[in-house]
């Protein structure tokens, strides 16, 4: 069996781990944004700062790929994973921004369930990233994120049904639908990251 040379340099794994930690922060801010007592402008400002920090980590990762001759796994997979992690943060930032811009005060309680899914996905992703170096203990991660995404889909359909039940004014339906769709997009983006990790693990096994 041919031996695969794997560089000792851990900087790529450190950057993936750092990116995932940004997602945990973003998910916490998203949950805070839903609180009735939160200062929406302050939370949104902190989310923008967190998103900028996440962008900088992504840029560091790209610079690292472009300046490294031998990468720990395929360059296109590194780009895909880095981009996927960045997309999750962008989607969470979008949800927070929409809540602020639309000046939505009364948020359906079902949104909290979706945010809980987002928070759990963020925690799992942050726990999984350090395991990329050994490619061990990753299967449970992508299986659980897939399960959470399925649960998120069910929550999403229930929220849409509630929005169109006649309990909301038309303008509120339009605003809330944008927020609900962006939140669903964040969960889908987490599943995409998990799928990329699975593909990498399969290639490297």
């Amino acid at each position: 069996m041919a031996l695969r040379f794997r560089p000792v340099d851990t900087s790529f794994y450190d950057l993936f781990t750092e990116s995932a930690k940004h997602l945990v922060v973003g998910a916490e801010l998203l949950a805070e944004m839903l609180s009735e007592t939160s200062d929406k402008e302050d939370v949104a400002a902190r989310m923008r700062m967190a998103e900028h920090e996440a962008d900088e980590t992504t840029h560091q990762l790209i610079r690292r790929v472009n300046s490294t001759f031998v990468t720990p796994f395929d360059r296109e997979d590194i780009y895909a994973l880095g981009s996927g992690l960045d997309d999750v943060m962008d989607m969470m930032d979008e949800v927070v921004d929409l809540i602020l811009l639309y000046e939505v005060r009364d948020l359906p309680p079902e949104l909290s369930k979706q945010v809980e899914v987002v928070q759990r996905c963020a925690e799992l992703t942050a726990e999984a990233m350090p395991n990329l170096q050994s490619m061990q203990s990753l299967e449970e991660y992508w299986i659980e994120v897939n399960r959470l995404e399925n649960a998120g889909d069910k929550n999403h359909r229930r929220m849409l049904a509630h929005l169109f039940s006649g309990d909301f004014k038309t303008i509120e339906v339009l605003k809330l639908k944008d927020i609900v769709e962006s939140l669903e997009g964040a969960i889908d983006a987490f599943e995409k990251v998990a799928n990329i990790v699975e593909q990498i693990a399969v290639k490297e096994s």
Side-chain angles (χ1 to χ4, degrees):
M1 182 177 71
L3 295 176
R4 180 187 292 272
F5 173 72
R6 188 181 297 279
V8 178
D9 182 6
T10 63
S11 60
F12 287 101
Y13 306 111
D14 293 340
L15 288 168
F16 285 133
T17 299
E18 186 177 327
S19 289
K21 287 179 179 178
H22 290 309
L23 302 186
V24 173
V25 173
E28 289 172 353
L29 289 169
L30 182 54
E32 186 178 346
M33 193 69 172
L34 263 61
S35 170
E36 294 180 0
T37 59
S38 67
D39 182 335
K40 299 289 191 286
E41 290 189 5
D42 177 66
V43 176
R46 283 185 282 134
M47 177 61 104
R48 283 193 294 272
M49 186 179 300
E51 195 272 334
H52 289 324
E53 291 174 355
D55 277 346
E56 179 53 36
T57 301
T58 302
H59 295 153
Q60 288 180 43
L61 179 65
I62 292 171
R63 288 194 294 269
R64 190 69 185 171
V65 176
N66 293 338
S67 63
T68 302
F69 181 68
V70 179
T71 56
F73 44 88
D74 291 345
R75 290 174 188 273
E76 58 265 31
D77 290 330
I78 293 175
Y79 285 125
L81 184 52
S83 175
L85 291 164
D86 189 60
D87 287 345
V88 176
M89 194 68 181
D90 288 344
M91 292 304 301
M92 290 193 292
D93 178 50
E94 181 175 300
V95 175
V96 168
D97 200 34
L98 287 173
I99 292 172
L100 178 69
L101 293 174
Y102 287 168
E103 299 181 343
V104 178
R105 298 302 174 190
D106 298 320
L107 294 165
E110 294 92 340
L111 277 179
S112 294
K113 288 186 177 180
Q114 284 295 72
V115 172
E116 287 174 8
V117 171
V118 168
Q119 287 183 290
R120 185 58 186 145
C121 285
E123 291 167 0
L124 288 167
T125 304
E127 291 168 5
M129 288 303 109
N131 295 331
L132 279 173
Q133 187 166 2
S134 64
M135 292 295 168
Q136 301 295 318
S137 305
L138 287 168
E139 186 174 359
E140 289 183 6
Y141 152 67
W142 66 66
I143 289 174
E144 180 61 11
V145 169
N146 180 261
R147 187 195 68 77
L148 287 166
E149 194 277 334
N150 289 335
D153 279 346
K154 290 181 180 179
N155 291 340
H156 180 245
R157 290 192 291 270
R158 287 181 174 84
M159 280 192 291
L160 289 180
H162 186 194
L163 285 182
F164 292 104
S165 66
D167 293 342
F168 299 90
K169 295 179 181 179
T170 302
I171 188 64
E172 291 302 312
V173 170
L174 295 174
K175 291 178 179 180
L176 289 170
K177 187 173 183 295
D178 279 353
I179 294 168
V180 167
E181 295 293 350
S182 293
L183 197 50
E184 171 72 0
I187 296 172
D188 287 344
F190 269 116
E191 185 184 39
K192 181 180 177 182
V193 167
N195 290 340
I196 293 169
V197 170
E198 181 179 7
Q199 292 166 11
I200 292 170
V202 170
K203 284 184 183 179
E204 297 299 309
S205 62

